[in-house]
Amino acid sequence: MSARNSQANKAAARERLRAEREKQAKKAKVRRQATVAGAVVAALALAGGIGWMVVQANQPDEWEKAATAALTAPKNTSGENGTTVVLGKADAKKTLELYEDARCPVCSQFEQGVGPQIKKDLDAGKYKLQFVGATFLDKGLGGSGSKNALSALGAALNVGPEAFLEYKTALYAKENHPEERDDKFSDDAYLLKVADQVPALKGNAEFKKAVEEGTFNRWAVELSKEFDKAGVKGTPALKMDGKEIGLKMTAEEFTAAVDKAIAG
C-alpha cells in the first residue's frame, strides 16, 4: 500500500471515529434531557399528589359535614329538629324513655331479653315509648357505627314506627350485633343487609337511598345531643315519665319495675 493510501485510510478512520463520537454525544444529551424532563414531571406529579392528599386530609369527613348540613327529620317525629321519637298508642298515659347506643353490647342483651315485652306493652297501650339514641361509643372507641346506625334507624322511622322497631330489634339481634370494638355498623352495606330481615325495608328503594346518602345524618347528630343533655350515665337506661328506674335484664324483672313505676 502506498503512503498516500495509508494516510487517506487513517484520515477516513479518524473521521468515522469523530462522527461516531458526535453521534453518541448527541444520544447521551437526549437521554440526559429526557431524564431531567422525567424527573421534573415526576417531581411535579409527586408535589401535586402530596398537595391533593393534604387538601383531602383537611377536608371535613362525613360526620363533620353532617354537623352543619341541612336537617331532614324523619316522618313520625316531633319537637325541635324532630328529636322527639315517641312510639305506641297516643292515649297511653305513661311514657317509658329508653336510651340506647347502637354499638352497646348491653343494649343488645337488653333488647334480646326485654324487647319482646316492650313490644307487647306498646301494643296493649300500657305506656308509650320515647326513644333517645346515643353515639358516645363512637367517641370512646373511634369510628362512626353508632351514628351511622342511628341515621339508618331514622330512615326506618321515616318508613314507619313498626319498621323502626323491627329494624332496631334486628340490629341488636345476637346474629347481627358486632363486638363493641368492631365498627361494623359504619358500613352502609351491612346496615342494608340487616334491613333485609325487615319486610317493610327489604327492597325499599327510598330507605336504601336514605341510608346510602346519609339523609338523616344531621338528625342523628341532633338526637344524640338529647342523650348528652339527659344526664344519663350509660346505656341502656330507662326512665318512666322522667324518673329513672333501675335497669332490668329479664322480662319479669322489667315488668315488675315498670309496674312499680306506673303505680308510682
Side-chain angles (χ1 to χ4, degrees):
M1 180 181 295
S2 67
R4 180 179 294 177
N5 287 340
S6 178
Q7 290 175 355
N9 289 340
K10 290 180 179 179
R14 285 195 296 272
E15 180 59 24
R16 288 195 300 271
L17 182 60
R18 183 191 64 77
E20 182 62 25
R21 287 174 176 171
E22 287 183 356
K23 181 180 178 180
Q24 293 300 323
K26 287 179 181 179
K27 287 184 178 180
K29 182 177 180 181
V30 170
R31 284 197 298 270
R32 287 196 300 272
Q33 289 174 337
T35 300
V36 171
V40 170
V41 170
L44 290 173
L46 179 60
I50 292 174
W52 181 86
M53 288 189 290
V54 170
V55 170
Q56 292 303 308
N58 289 323
Q59 290 291 323
D61 65 20
E62 177 185 10
W63 291 100
E64 290 171 333
K65 290 178 182 177
T68 57
L71 189 144
T72 301
K75 298 173 187 176
N76 307 299
T77 62
S78 61
E80 185 179 3
N81 297 326
T83 54
T84 301
V85 179
V86 178
L87 311 164
K89 294 185 176 180
D91 58 356
K93 295 180 180 180
K94 294 290 185 177
T95 300
L96 178 69
E97 300 165 36
L98 174 61
Y99 300 80
E100 291 180 319
D101 187 309
R103 292 174 70 176
C104 170
V106 183
C107 293
S108 176
Q109 296 168 20
F110 174 80
E111 284 286 338
Q112 291 168 41
V114 179
Q117 183 62 51
I118 292 177
K119 182 63 169 61
K120 289 179 183 178
D121 291 347
L122 291 179
D123 291 342
K126 189 172 184 177
Y127 49 76
K128 296 186 287 288
L129 179 71
Q130 181 172 354
F131 171 80
V132 183
T135 61
F136 67 92
L137 285 176
D138 284 350
K139 299 174 186 177
L141 300 174
S144 60
S146 296
K147 295 186 289 287
N148 208 39
L150 186 55
S151 178
L153 281 166
L157 184 59
N158 194 60
V159 174
E162 287 296 322
F164 171 84
L165 288 171
E166 289 180 29
Y167 188 42
K168 184 161 72 75
T169 297
L171 288 173
Y172 283 120
K174 185 176 181 179
E175 63 272 20
N176 297 328
H177 198 265
E179 294 292 329
E180 188 175 24
R181 294 186 175 277
D182 183 356
D183 196 27
K184 210 167 185 176
F185 287 160
S186 66
D187 182 3
D188 290 344
Y190 185 73
L191 293 176
L192 292 171
K193 179 181 177 182
V194 175
D196 282 344
Q197 299 171 19
V198 180
L201 303 181
K202 184 176 182 179
N204 188 316
E206 183 180 2
F207 169 79
K208 181 175 184 291
K209 181 180 179 182
V211 171
E212 293 178 337
E213 295 185 359
T215 301
F216 301 108
N217 283 3
R218 171 68 188 278
W219 173 81
V221 170
E222 295 302 321
L223 182 56
S224 69
K225 291 179 182 178
E226 297 302 310
F227 172 85
D228 296 337
K229 293 187 292 187
V232 174
K233 302 301 182 182
T235 57
L238 298 166
K239 291 183 181 182
M240 182 63 76
D241 290 338
K243 184 178 180 181
E244 193 161 355
I245 61 177
L247 177 63
K248 307 301 178 183
M249 298 301 291
T250 68
E252 293 77 12
E253 293 172 340
F254 168 79
T255 298
V258 165
D259 287 345
K260 182 178 179 181
I262 289 175

